[in-house]
Amino acid sequence: MTNDAHVPALFDTMSTMRAMRRLKSEPVADELLEQLVQAAVWGPSGGNMQAFQYVVVTDRHVMAELAPLWERCVDAYLATTGKFAPEGMDEEAYGRMVAAIRYQRDHFADTPAVIIPCYQFPEPRVDEEGLAASAAALGPEGLAHMASTQERFLTLAEGSCVYPGVQNLLLAARGLGLAANVTIWHLMLEREWKGALGIPEAMNTFAVIPVGWPKGKFGPVRRKPVAEVLHRDRW
């Protein structure tokens, strides 16, 4: 955190947005959850299409149905990617993070609320004249590259319409004193998650965000120094 009077308070909020996985079981008021979704809706949306939808789960029976799916996804993650500490993170700190992940797994049924952001990219409206102009602008090599990366492009296009809103949601949660963390582990069993929640098959899900009142305290995040990641003008 900083005491610089010239730095907006938002910077303090961002610098203390730890992933808070240990949650109290007490409910979160619907009004607060709607505020989180409102913050997400305010996020940038490519072409202002606003084709996002948000599923908010608070029903105890539904949460109990989701808990085994969450457990399977977490176990699959911890057995593979999550088995090893990221480069630059010491084993002790990583052990604490894994302990928090396991705690959340074991207490998922008691999670007060879960928010699932969804997006279905609208069918593009194009005509022959527009396609010809696009091909001319890209050139043969660019056009070939675009064709070869179309699937990735569409995925990123959807994601770029969703994740700015998700970050707004996380900022709003921190501002309201709520704990939240964003995960995509559910994608390993996305069909089952969508089935449990009645999400249409064509609709893509982009995260599962558990929300509740924190058991611990917010504190400074640990990130690389800017000097290690900043490239000026060129790589």
Side-chain angles (χ1 to χ4, degrees):
M1 297 178 67
T2 177
N3 294 319
D4 191 333
H6 299 291
V7 176
L10 176 62
F11 279 64
D12 277 347
T13 300
M14 292 188 291
S15 70
T16 56
M17 282 177 56
R18 286 180 176 173
M20 304 288 279
R21 297 181 173 92
R22 291 183 171 89
L23 309 178
K24 297 177 181 178
S25 59
E26 64 184 85
V28 176
D30 287 342
E31 293 80 5
L32 293 179
L33 295 173
E34 289 179 12
Q35 279 186 269
L36 299 186
V37 176
Q38 175 64 82
V41 168
W42 282 331
S45 175
N48 199 30
M49 287 179 284
Q50 303 188 46
F52 39 66
Q53 300 289 328
Y54 292 86
V55 178
V56 179
V57 179
T58 57
D59 185 278
R60 294 299 91 201
H61 296 291
V62 178
M63 205 72 76
E65 188 177 353
L66 296 177
L69 297 178
W70 181 269
E71 180 177 6
R72 290 167 61 195
C73 292
V74 170
D75 288 348
Y77 167 77
L78 291 177
T80 53
T81 305
K83 191 173 184 178
F84 308 100
E87 183 179 352
M89 187 176 190
D90 66 71
E91 293 293 336
E92 184 178 351
Y94 186 64
R96 291 194 297 270
M97 187 179 84
V98 169
I101 290 172
R102 287 175 173 154
Y103 178 93
Q104 189 175 50
R105 174 197 64 188
D106 297 340
H107 296 82
F108 189 83
D110 297 324
T111 303
V114 166
I115 301 175
I116 299 95
C118 306
Y119 202 93
Q120 184 176 4
F121 204 72
E123 286 293 327
R125 293 182 293 177
V126 295
D127 54 32
E128 290 187 8
E129 182 180 355
L131 289 173
S134 176
L138 294 174
E141 290 187 9
L143 191 61
H145 178 74
M146 184 67 181
S148 69
T149 60
Q150 187 68 12
E151 183 176 350
R152 180 169 179 261
F153 181 87
L154 289 175
T155 300
L156 290 175
E158 285 188 323
S160 68
C161 293
V162 175
Y163 290 124
V166 168
Q167 181 67 2
N168 269 14
L169 188 156
L170 296 174
L171 283 166
R174 175 66 187 90
L176 292 168
L178 289 163
N181 68 287
V182 59
T183 72
I184 59 169
W185 300 331
H186 79 289
L187 292 174
M188 292 183 277
L189 295 173
E190 185 183 26
R191 185 182 297 273
E192 292 175 61
W193 280 81
K194 288 165 71 172
L197 296 171
I199 297 173
E201 185 176 348
M203 182 69 69
N204 293 320
T205 62
F206 283 83
V208 168
I209 307 170
V211 177
W213 299 107
K215 283 193 169 184
K217 295 181 179 180
F218 293 100
V221 298
R222 295 179 176 86
R223 297 292 187 266
K224 293 180 179 180
V226 171
E228 291 186 14
V229 300
L230 177 62
H231 306 267
R232 293 189 181 276
D233 298 322
R234 297 180 183 275
W235 185 272

